[in-house]
Amino acid sequence: MAAVPAAMAQATGGCGGAVVVIVCGVSGCGKSTVGKGVAERLRCPFYDADDFHSSENIAKMASGGPLTDGDRWPWLDRLAAVVQQHASRDEPAVLACSALKASYRAHLRAAAPPHQQSAVAMVLLDPPAAMLHAHLAARAAAAGTSPHFMPPSLLESQLEALERPPAHGGSRYVCRHRPAAGGRQAEQGHGDCWELVECAATTPVADPLLLHIEGQCCDLAGREAPCPHFPTAEECVHLVAAALRQVAGHLDCN
């Protein structure tokens, strides 16, 4: 596994405070696994949005039908109630939810009381499409006779619906993959790390993210290039914890 910088490793201890972290992304991106890991670091409850779908929604997806806005809004209202409950009581929680559109994320953020909306932290996991297909295929094979109600065939409809943040100013932090310098370590994949990078502030956006994790990298000369790599679930947890630690001074992270 690629190494995580020491500053990120220090952010994996327990954290307490009023914050609701929402880990977003399409099916197969790892949001449930990462969300559970973040909840362990925060020592707080974890909620999976899949558990809040109506039986009608589950049946529709299981039959291969993509959900419409009309299908999703009642589901989002139930999730918003969870956000409101925790934010109004100053109780941290982590929610894994696709939240594909900016309007969905805004709806969840607005569920918190006005003085707490800045404490709702959105994280978007955005792996390459090939990795998503591989994850879903592996999940389907492992499930056997008890498949997940979200079939791999619906991934394309989710990718079409996904609204990513603007390239500039849409996310406070992004991550960058920095490869090893070379030689035997580089050949074996040792010495690489994922770096948390703060984005330059531009004009305010309506759908700000705390962190956008996607498959981008910098080579040794600092040039950005598309990257087939994506952080492991554990590395994503480290990155989220590090971002929370940077922006939430009231959090007790050690």
Side-chain angles (χ1 to χ4, degrees):
M1 182 183 68
V4 177
M8 295 181 190
Q10 293 170 1
T12 61
C15 304
V19 61
V20 178
V21 181
I22 303 178
V23 184
C24 313
V26 300
S27 184
C29 72
K31 56 186 178 289
S32 295
T33 302
V34 172
K36 289 175 183 176
V38 174
E40 289 178 2
R41 302 305 194 272
L42 294 173
R43 299 172 187 160
C44 70
F46 168 76
Y47 298 92
D48 193 321
D50 283 352
D51 298 332
F52 292 78
H53 274 300
S54 66
S55 56
E56 291 80 8
N57 280 6
I58 291 174
K60 185 174 184 178
M61 287 185 284
S63 66
L67 298 182
T68 65
D69 279 353
D71 298 321
R72 290 191 179 108
W73 280 115
W75 168 67
L76 288 163
D77 285 339
R78 290 189 287 274
L79 298 173
V82 174
V83 175
Q84 192 277 334
Q85 172 187 333
H86 281 270
S88 63
R89 297 177 181 176
D90 291 349
E91 296 174 351
V94 178
L95 169 66
C97 173
S98 55
L100 300 176
K101 297 184 179 182
S103 59
Y104 300 167
R105 298 189 287 268
H107 184 67
L108 295 174
R109 184 182 291 108
H115 70 284
Q116 288 285 56
Q117 289 183 12
S118 62
V120 178
M122 298 281 181
V123 176
L124 176 60
L125 303 184
D126 194 7
M131 183 177 293
L132 293 168
H133 284 288
H135 283 179
L136 290 178
R139 184 170 75 180
T145 58
S146 301
H148 189 273
F149 61 76
M150 174 75 181
S153 59
L154 289 181
L155 176 59
E156 292 304 323
S157 67
Q158 284 205 329
L159 289 172
E160 290 175 5
L162 177 63
E163 294 178 0
R164 295 177 173 84
H168 300 287
S171 180
R172 180 158 183 173
Y173 294 95
V174 295
C175 66
R176 291 289 183 265
H177 179 253
R178 188 165 294 280
R184 185 176 178 83
Q185 273 199 327
E187 291 174 4
Q188 295 178 346
H190 301 311
D192 292 12
C193 71
W194 289 91
E195 300 177 330
L196 192 69
V197 179
E198 185 168 11
C199 300
T202 56
T203 56
V205 297
D207 177 37
L209 297 179
L210 169 67
L211 175 62
H212 184 193
I213 300 180
E214 57 181 337
Q216 294 243 320
C217 74
C218 289
D219 64 17
L220 294 175
R223 296 184 295 263
E224 293 187 9
C227 178
H229 303 294
F230 190 79
T232 65
E234 184 177 351
E235 289 165 343
C236 285
V237 171
H238 287 321
L239 288 163
V240 174
L244 288 171
R245 188 171 176 171
Q246 290 293 322
V247 300
H250 66 282
L251 290 180
D252 178 19
C253 302
N254 47 55

